[in-house]
Short mmCIF file of all heavy atoms in Angstrom, two decimals:
data_model
loop_
_atom_site.label_atom_id
_atom_site.label_comp_id
_atom_site.label_asym_id
_atom_site.label_seq_id
_atom_site.Cartn_x
_atom_site.Cartn_y
_atom_site.Cartn_z
N MET A 1 107.00 114.08 112.95
CA MET A 1 107.22 114.47 111.55
C MET A 1 106.13 113.90 110.69
O MET A 1 106.30 112.91 109.98
CB MET A 1 108.58 113.94 111.09
CG MET A 1 109.74 114.47 111.91
SD MET A 1 110.01 116.21 111.70
CE MET A 1 110.88 116.22 110.13
N SER A 2 104.96 114.44 110.77
CA SER A 2 103.87 113.93 109.97
C SER A 2 103.60 114.89 108.82
O SER A 2 103.65 116.10 108.99
CB SER A 2 102.61 113.77 110.82
OG SER A 2 102.26 115.00 111.40
N PRO A 3 103.37 114.32 107.65
CA PRO A 3 103.10 115.17 106.48
C PRO A 3 101.78 115.92 106.66
O PRO A 3 100.90 115.47 107.38
CB PRO A 3 103.01 114.17 105.32
CG PRO A 3 102.68 112.88 105.98
CD PRO A 3 103.31 112.92 107.35
N PRO A 4 101.65 117.04 106.01
CA PRO A 4 100.43 117.85 106.14
C PRO A 4 99.26 117.27 105.36
O PRO A 4 98.86 117.77 104.33
CB PRO A 4 100.86 119.22 105.56
CG PRO A 4 101.91 118.87 104.57
CD PRO A 4 102.64 117.67 105.14
N GLN A 5 98.75 116.18 105.89
CA GLN A 5 97.62 115.54 105.24
C GLN A 5 96.37 115.78 106.06
O GLN A 5 96.44 116.03 107.25
CB GLN A 5 97.85 114.04 105.11
CG GLN A 5 98.99 113.68 104.15
CD GLN A 5 99.19 112.17 104.06
OE1 GLN A 5 99.09 111.47 105.05
NE2 GLN A 5 99.44 111.70 102.87
N SER A 6 95.26 115.65 105.44
CA SER A 6 94.01 115.74 106.19
C SER A 6 93.91 114.52 107.10
O SER A 6 94.48 113.48 106.80
CB SER A 6 92.83 115.81 105.24
OG SER A 6 92.63 114.56 104.64
N PRO A 7 93.20 114.63 108.18
CA PRO A 7 93.09 113.50 109.12
C PRO A 7 92.54 112.24 108.47
O PRO A 7 92.84 111.14 108.92
CB PRO A 7 92.14 114.02 110.18
CG PRO A 7 92.23 115.51 110.09
CD PRO A 7 92.49 115.80 108.64
N ASP A 8 91.79 112.40 107.42
CA ASP A 8 91.18 111.23 106.79
C ASP A 8 92.05 110.65 105.69
O ASP A 8 91.75 109.60 105.15
CB ASP A 8 89.82 111.60 106.20
CG ASP A 8 88.81 111.90 107.30
OD1 ASP A 8 88.98 111.37 108.41
OD2 ASP A 8 87.88 112.66 107.05
N ALA A 9 93.12 111.34 105.35
CA ALA A 9 93.96 110.85 104.26
C ALA A 9 94.60 109.53 104.65
O ALA A 9 94.96 109.32 105.80
CB ALA A 9 95.04 111.87 103.93
N VAL A 10 94.70 108.65 103.68
CA VAL A 10 95.26 107.33 103.95
C VAL A 10 96.35 107.04 102.94
O VAL A 10 96.32 107.51 101.80
CB VAL A 10 94.18 106.23 103.89
CG1 VAL A 10 93.20 106.40 105.04
CG2 VAL A 10 93.46 106.25 102.57
N THR A 11 97.32 106.27 103.36
CA THR A 11 98.40 105.84 102.49
C THR A 11 98.59 104.34 102.65
O THR A 11 98.69 103.85 103.77
CB THR A 11 99.71 106.56 102.87
OG1 THR A 11 99.52 107.96 102.77
CG2 THR A 11 100.82 106.13 101.93
N CYS A 12 98.62 103.67 101.55
CA CYS A 12 98.84 102.23 101.60
C CYS A 12 100.23 101.96 102.16
O CYS A 12 101.21 102.53 101.69
CB CYS A 12 98.70 101.63 100.21
SG CYS A 12 99.08 99.85 100.19
N ALA A 13 100.27 101.10 103.16
CA ALA A 13 101.55 100.81 103.81
C ALA A 13 102.45 99.96 102.92
O ALA A 13 103.64 99.84 103.20
CB ALA A 13 101.30 100.09 105.13
N LEU A 14 101.90 99.39 101.90
CA LEU A 14 102.68 98.47 101.07
C LEU A 14 103.13 99.12 99.77
O LEU A 14 104.30 99.05 99.42
CB LEU A 14 101.85 97.23 100.77
CG LEU A 14 101.60 96.35 102.00
CD1 LEU A 14 100.67 95.19 101.63
CD2 LEU A 14 102.90 95.82 102.55
N CYS A 15 102.22 99.73 99.04
CA CYS A 15 102.60 100.27 97.74
C CYS A 15 102.66 101.79 97.73
O CYS A 15 103.10 102.38 96.77
CB CYS A 15 101.64 99.77 96.67
SG CYS A 15 100.00 100.51 96.74
N GLY A 16 102.20 102.41 98.81
CA GLY A 16 102.31 103.86 98.90
C GLY A 16 101.18 104.61 98.24
O GLY A 16 101.24 105.84 98.15
N ALA A 17 100.17 103.91 97.77
CA ALA A 17 99.03 104.57 97.17
C ALA A 17 98.35 105.45 98.21
O ALA A 17 98.28 105.11 99.39
CB ALA A 17 98.05 103.54 96.63
N THR A 18 97.88 106.61 97.77
CA THR A 18 97.24 107.52 98.71
C THR A 18 95.83 107.83 98.26
O THR A 18 95.49 107.72 97.08
CB THR A 18 98.03 108.84 98.81
OG1 THR A 18 98.07 109.45 97.53
CG2 THR A 18 99.43 108.59 99.32
N ALA A 19 95.02 108.22 99.23
CA ALA A 19 93.65 108.62 98.94
C ALA A 19 93.24 109.65 99.98
O ALA A 19 93.72 109.62 101.12
CB ALA A 19 92.72 107.41 98.98
N PRO A 20 92.41 110.60 99.59
CA PRO A 20 92.01 111.65 100.52
C PRO A 20 91.14 111.13 101.66
O PRO A 20 91.05 111.76 102.70
CB PRO A 20 91.24 112.64 99.63
CG PRO A 20 90.80 111.84 98.46
CD PRO A 20 91.83 110.76 98.26
N SER A 21 90.52 109.99 101.41
CA SER A 21 89.76 109.36 102.48
C SER A 21 89.74 107.86 102.22
O SER A 21 90.07 107.42 101.13
CB SER A 21 88.33 109.90 102.55
OG SER A 21 87.65 109.59 101.37
N LEU A 22 89.38 107.11 103.22
CA LEU A 22 89.47 105.66 103.07
C LEU A 22 88.47 105.15 102.05
O LEU A 22 87.27 105.21 102.27
CB LEU A 22 89.20 105.00 104.43
CG LEU A 22 89.47 103.50 104.48
CD1 LEU A 22 90.96 103.24 104.34
CD2 LEU A 22 88.95 102.92 105.78
N PRO A 23 88.95 104.64 100.92
CA PRO A 23 88.05 104.13 99.88
C PRO A 23 87.47 102.78 100.26
O PRO A 23 88.06 102.05 101.06
CB PRO A 23 88.96 104.00 98.65
CG PRO A 23 90.24 104.68 99.00
CD PRO A 23 90.34 104.61 100.50
N LEU A 24 86.37 102.47 99.65
CA LEU A 24 85.80 101.14 99.85
C LEU A 24 86.79 100.10 99.34
O LEU A 24 87.44 100.30 98.33
CB LEU A 24 84.49 101.00 99.09
CG LEU A 24 83.31 101.82 99.64
CD1 LEU A 24 82.12 101.69 98.71
CD2 LEU A 24 82.95 101.37 101.03
N GLY A 25 86.91 99.02 100.07
CA GLY A 25 87.81 97.97 99.64
C GLY A 25 89.15 98.04 100.33
O GLY A 25 89.86 97.06 100.40
N TRP A 26 89.49 99.24 100.83
CA TRP A 26 90.74 99.34 101.56
C TRP A 26 90.53 98.77 102.96
O TRP A 26 89.42 98.76 103.48
CB TRP A 26 91.18 100.80 101.66
CG TRP A 26 91.73 101.36 100.38
CD1 TRP A 26 91.21 101.17 99.15
CD2 TRP A 26 92.87 102.18 100.23
NE1 TRP A 26 91.98 101.84 98.22
CE2 TRP A 26 93.00 102.49 98.86
CE3 TRP A 26 93.80 102.73 101.12
CZ2 TRP A 26 94.02 103.27 98.37
CZ3 TRP A 26 94.81 103.53 100.61
CH2 TRP A 26 94.93 103.79 99.26
N SER A 27 91.61 98.32 103.53
CA SER A 27 91.51 97.75 104.86
C SER A 27 92.45 98.48 105.81
O SER A 27 93.49 99.00 105.41
CB SER A 27 91.85 96.26 104.83
OG SER A 27 93.20 96.08 104.44
N THR A 28 92.04 98.53 107.04
CA THR A 28 92.90 99.14 108.05
C THR A 28 93.16 98.14 109.16
O THR A 28 92.36 97.24 109.41
CB THR A 28 92.25 100.39 108.66
OG1 THR A 28 91.03 100.00 109.31
CG2 THR A 28 91.95 101.41 107.59
N ALA A 29 94.28 98.29 109.77
CA ALA A 29 94.62 97.43 110.90
C ALA A 29 95.49 98.23 111.84
O ALA A 29 96.10 99.23 111.46
CB ALA A 29 95.35 96.18 110.42
N VAL A 30 95.52 97.80 113.06
CA VAL A 30 96.38 98.46 114.04
C VAL A 30 97.50 97.50 114.41
O VAL A 30 97.25 96.40 114.87
CB VAL A 30 95.59 98.86 115.29
CG1 VAL A 30 96.53 99.47 116.33
CG2 VAL A 30 94.48 99.83 114.92
N GLU A 31 98.70 97.93 114.12
CA GLU A 31 99.85 97.11 114.44
C GLU A 31 100.74 97.88 115.38
O GLU A 31 101.26 98.94 115.04
CB GLU A 31 100.61 96.73 113.16
CG GLU A 31 99.78 95.83 112.25
CD GLU A 31 100.60 95.40 111.04
OE1 GLU A 31 101.75 95.85 110.91
OE2 GLU A 31 100.08 94.60 110.24
N ARG A 32 100.95 97.34 116.55
CA ARG A 32 101.81 97.98 117.55
C ARG A 32 101.37 99.41 117.80
O ARG A 32 102.20 100.32 117.92
CB ARG A 32 103.27 97.95 117.09
CG ARG A 32 103.77 96.52 116.93
CD ARG A 32 105.22 96.49 116.49
NE ARG A 32 105.66 95.11 116.22
CZ ARG A 32 106.88 94.81 115.82
NH1 ARG A 32 107.77 95.76 115.62
NH2 ARG A 32 107.22 93.56 115.60
N GLY A 33 100.06 99.61 117.86
CA GLY A 33 99.54 100.92 118.23
C GLY A 33 99.46 101.90 117.08
O GLY A 33 98.96 103.00 117.24
N ARG A 34 99.95 101.51 115.90
CA ARG A 34 99.89 102.42 114.76
C ARG A 34 98.92 101.89 113.73
O ARG A 34 98.89 100.69 113.45
CB ARG A 34 101.28 102.56 114.12
CG ARG A 34 102.27 103.21 115.05
CD ARG A 34 103.59 103.44 114.34
NE ARG A 34 103.43 104.34 113.21
CZ ARG A 34 104.43 104.68 112.39
NH1 ARG A 34 105.63 104.19 112.59
NH2 ARG A 34 104.21 105.48 111.36
N ARG A 35 98.14 102.80 113.17
CA ARG A 35 97.18 102.36 112.16
C ARG A 35 97.90 102.19 110.84
O ARG A 35 98.62 103.08 110.39
CB ARG A 35 96.06 103.38 112.01
CG ARG A 35 94.97 102.88 111.08
CD ARG A 35 93.83 103.85 111.00
NE ARG A 35 94.19 105.02 110.18
CZ ARG A 35 93.30 105.70 109.47
NH1 ARG A 35 92.04 105.38 109.52
NH2 ARG A 35 93.66 106.74 108.77
N VAL A 36 97.69 101.05 110.25
CA VAL A 36 98.25 100.80 108.93
C VAL A 36 97.09 100.58 107.96
O VAL A 36 96.07 100.02 108.32
CB VAL A 36 99.20 99.59 108.91
CG1 VAL A 36 100.42 99.86 109.77
CG2 VAL A 36 98.48 98.35 109.38
N VAL A 37 97.28 101.06 106.74
CA VAL A 37 96.23 100.97 105.74
C VAL A 37 96.75 100.23 104.53
O VAL A 37 97.89 100.43 104.11
CB VAL A 37 95.76 102.39 105.33
CG1 VAL A 37 94.65 102.30 104.30
CG2 VAL A 37 95.32 103.16 106.56
N HIS A 38 95.94 99.36 104.01
CA HIS A 38 96.31 98.66 102.78
C HIS A 38 95.25 98.95 101.74
O HIS A 38 94.06 98.87 102.02
CB HIS A 38 96.40 97.15 103.03
CG HIS A 38 97.50 96.79 104.00
ND1 HIS A 38 97.32 95.89 105.01
CD2 HIS A 38 98.79 97.21 104.08
CE1 HIS A 38 98.45 95.78 105.70
NE2 HIS A 38 99.35 96.56 105.15
N CYS A 39 95.69 99.24 100.53
CA CYS A 39 94.74 99.50 99.46
C CYS A 39 94.06 98.18 99.07
O CYS A 39 94.46 97.10 99.50
CB CYS A 39 95.45 100.13 98.26
SG CYS A 39 96.57 99.01 97.39
N GLU A 40 93.03 98.31 98.26
CA GLU A 40 92.25 97.12 97.92
C GLU A 40 93.14 96.04 97.30
O GLU A 40 93.07 94.88 97.66
CB GLU A 40 91.16 97.52 96.92
CG GLU A 40 90.25 96.35 96.58
CD GLU A 40 89.09 96.80 95.72
OE1 GLU A 40 89.08 97.96 95.26
OE2 GLU A 40 88.18 95.99 95.51
N ARG A 41 93.98 96.45 96.40
CA ARG A 41 94.84 95.48 95.72
C ARG A 41 95.80 94.82 96.70
O ARG A 41 95.93 93.59 96.73
CB ARG A 41 95.61 96.19 94.61
CG ARG A 41 96.58 95.28 93.89
CD ARG A 41 97.26 96.06 92.77
NE ARG A 41 98.34 95.28 92.19
CZ ARG A 41 99.14 95.75 91.23
NH1 ARG A 41 98.95 96.96 90.76
NH2 ARG A 41 100.09 95.01 90.74
N CYS A 42 96.46 95.62 97.51
CA CYS A 42 97.44 95.05 98.43
C CYS A 42 96.76 94.23 99.50
O CYS A 42 97.29 93.20 99.92
CB CYS A 42 98.27 96.17 99.06
SG CYS A 42 99.41 96.95 97.92
N SER A 43 95.60 94.65 99.95
CA SER A 43 94.94 93.88 101.00
C SER A 43 94.54 92.52 100.47
O SER A 43 94.60 91.52 101.17
CB SER A 43 93.72 94.63 101.53
OG SER A 43 92.82 94.95 100.50
N ARG A 44 94.18 92.47 99.20
CA ARG A 44 93.86 91.17 98.61
C ARG A 44 95.10 90.30 98.51
O ARG A 44 95.11 89.13 98.85
CB ARG A 44 93.30 91.36 97.20
CG ARG A 44 91.82 91.63 97.18
CD ARG A 44 91.34 91.59 95.74
NE ARG A 44 90.04 92.25 95.60
CZ ARG A 44 89.62 92.77 94.46
NH1 ARG A 44 90.40 92.76 93.41
NH2 ARG A 44 88.43 93.33 94.39
N GLU A 45 96.18 90.91 98.03
CA GLU A 45 97.40 90.12 97.80
C GLU A 45 98.06 89.71 99.11
O GLU A 45 98.88 88.81 99.14
CB GLU A 45 98.38 90.95 96.97
CG GLU A 45 97.86 91.21 95.57
CD GLU A 45 98.85 92.03 94.76
OE1 GLU A 45 99.81 92.54 95.34
OE2 GLU A 45 98.65 92.14 93.55
N ASN A 46 97.71 90.39 100.18
CA ASN A 46 98.39 90.11 101.43
C ASN A 46 97.48 89.52 102.49
O ASN A 46 97.82 89.50 103.66
CB ASN A 46 99.01 91.40 101.96
CG ASN A 46 100.20 91.81 101.12
OD1 ASN A 46 101.31 91.34 101.34
ND2 ASN A 46 99.97 92.66 100.15
N VAL A 47 96.35 89.02 102.06
CA VAL A 47 95.45 88.41 103.02
C VAL A 47 96.17 87.29 103.76
O VAL A 47 96.14 87.20 104.97
CB VAL A 47 94.20 87.88 102.32
CG1 VAL A 47 93.46 86.92 103.24
CG2 VAL A 47 93.29 89.02 101.95
N ARG A 48 96.83 86.47 103.04
CA ARG A 48 97.52 85.36 103.68
C ARG A 48 98.62 85.85 104.61
O ARG A 48 98.79 85.38 105.72
CB ARG A 48 98.12 84.44 102.62
CG ARG A 48 97.08 83.64 101.88
CD ARG A 48 97.76 82.68 100.91
NE ARG A 48 96.78 81.93 100.13
CZ ARG A 48 97.14 81.07 99.19
NH1 ARG A 48 98.41 80.87 98.93
NH2 ARG A 48 96.22 80.41 98.52
N ALA A 49 99.37 86.83 104.13
CA ALA A 49 100.46 87.34 104.96
C ALA A 49 99.91 87.97 106.23
O ALA A 49 100.47 87.80 107.31
CB ALA A 49 101.27 88.36 104.17
N MET A 50 98.82 88.69 106.10
CA MET A 50 98.24 89.34 107.27
C MET A 50 97.72 88.29 108.24
O MET A 50 97.88 88.42 109.45
CB MET A 50 97.10 90.27 106.84
CG MET A 50 97.63 91.48 106.06
SD MET A 50 96.30 92.48 105.39
CE MET A 50 95.62 93.18 106.89
N GLU A 51 97.13 87.26 107.70
CA GLU A 51 96.62 86.21 108.58
C GLU A 51 97.77 85.51 109.29
O GLU A 51 97.67 85.15 110.45
CB GLU A 51 95.80 85.20 107.77
CG GLU A 51 94.47 85.79 107.33
CD GLU A 51 93.69 84.80 106.49
OE1 GLU A 51 94.30 83.83 106.01
OE2 GLU A 51 92.49 85.01 106.31
N SER A 52 98.85 85.33 108.58
CA SER A 52 99.98 84.63 109.18
C SER A 52 100.63 85.46 110.27
O SER A 52 101.37 84.95 111.10
CB SER A 52 101.01 84.28 108.11
OG SER A 52 101.66 85.45 107.64
N LYS A 53 100.37 86.79 110.24
CA LYS A 53 100.96 87.64 111.26
C LYS A 53 100.14 87.70 112.53
O LYS A 53 100.53 88.31 113.50
CB LYS A 53 101.15 89.07 110.71
CG LYS A 53 102.35 89.17 109.80
CD LYS A 53 102.74 90.60 109.53
CE LYS A 53 101.68 91.33 108.73
NZ LYS A 53 102.11 92.69 108.39
N LEU A 54 98.97 87.07 112.50
CA LEU A 54 98.17 87.03 113.71
C LEU A 54 98.95 86.34 114.82
O LEU A 54 99.74 85.44 114.57
CB LEU A 54 96.86 86.28 113.46
CG LEU A 54 95.87 87.00 112.55
CD1 LEU A 54 94.69 86.10 112.27
CD2 LEU A 54 95.40 88.30 113.18
N ASP A 55 98.69 86.78 116.00
CA ASP A 55 99.42 86.23 117.13
C ASP A 55 99.25 84.71 117.18
O ASP A 55 98.15 84.21 117.30
CB ASP A 55 98.84 86.84 118.41
CG ASP A 55 99.75 86.56 119.59
OD1 ASP A 55 100.45 85.53 119.57
OD2 ASP A 55 99.75 87.37 120.52
N PRO A 56 100.33 83.97 117.07
CA PRO A 56 100.24 82.50 117.05
C PRO A 56 99.69 81.96 118.35
O PRO A 56 99.25 80.81 118.41
CB PRO A 56 101.69 82.05 116.83
CG PRO A 56 102.54 83.22 117.22
CD PRO A 56 101.71 84.44 116.94
N GLU A 57 99.71 82.76 119.39
CA GLU A 57 99.20 82.26 120.66
C GLU A 57 97.69 82.05 120.61
O GLU A 57 97.11 81.43 121.48
CB GLU A 57 99.54 83.23 121.79
CG GLU A 57 101.05 83.26 122.07
CD GLU A 57 101.37 84.22 123.20
OE1 GLU A 57 100.42 84.76 123.78
OE2 GLU A 57 102.55 84.41 123.48
N TRP A 58 97.08 82.62 119.57
CA TRP A 58 95.65 82.45 119.44
C TRP A 58 95.29 81.05 118.93
O TRP A 58 94.17 80.63 119.01
CB TRP A 58 95.06 83.48 118.48
CG TRP A 58 94.86 84.82 119.12
CD1 TRP A 58 95.73 85.88 119.12
CD2 TRP A 58 93.72 85.27 119.83
NE1 TRP A 58 95.20 86.92 119.82
CE2 TRP A 58 93.97 86.58 120.25
CE3 TRP A 58 92.49 84.65 120.17
CZ2 TRP A 58 93.03 87.31 120.99
CZ3 TRP A 58 91.57 85.40 120.89
CH2 TRP A 58 91.84 86.70 121.30
N TRP A 59 96.31 80.41 118.35
CA TRP A 59 95.98 79.13 117.70
C TRP A 59 96.48 77.96 118.51
O TRP A 59 97.35 78.06 119.31
CB TRP A 59 96.63 79.11 116.32
CG TRP A 59 96.16 80.28 115.53
CD1 TRP A 59 96.81 81.46 115.34
CD2 TRP A 59 94.91 80.42 114.85
NE1 TRP A 59 96.03 82.30 114.58
CE2 TRP A 59 94.90 81.70 114.26
CE3 TRP A 59 93.80 79.55 114.67
CZ2 TRP A 59 93.81 82.15 113.52
CZ3 TRP A 59 92.73 80.01 113.92
CH2 TRP A 59 92.75 81.30 113.36
ZN1 LIG B 101 98.72 99.12 98.10
#
């Protein structure tokens, strides 16, 4: 059930902001095999949260 978006369209996983293509400043990550996108604002606000989600086995 995927919406009819262009392959390059992105949606912020946190605030729902959308863009027709990945804007500068946005970040992407792969979590459990799915690509997640964060807009510039959310990626900034969640840098710490994203870092804390890194596999603790790495540390
Ligand atoms: Zn956002």
Side-chain angles (χ1 to χ4, degrees):
M1 300 293 281
S2 58
Q5 293 179 321
S6 72
D8 291 334
V10 293
T11 302
C12 176
L14 292 175
C15 72
T18 60
S21 63
L22 189 68
L24 290 175
W26 286 43
S27 64
T28 62
V30 177
E31 294 184 357
R32 299 181 185 180
R34 295 185 62 182
R35 186 176 75 150
V36 295
V37 181
H38 296 135
C39 69
E40 183 174 9
R41 177 178 171 182
C42 289
S43 56
R44 275 189 198 155
E45 294 181 350
N46 288 275
V47 164
R48 289 184 182 178
M50 291 173 69
E51 288 178 344
S52 70
K53 282 194 294 184
L54 291 174
D55 194 331
E57 291 181 4
W58 280 93
W59 303 98

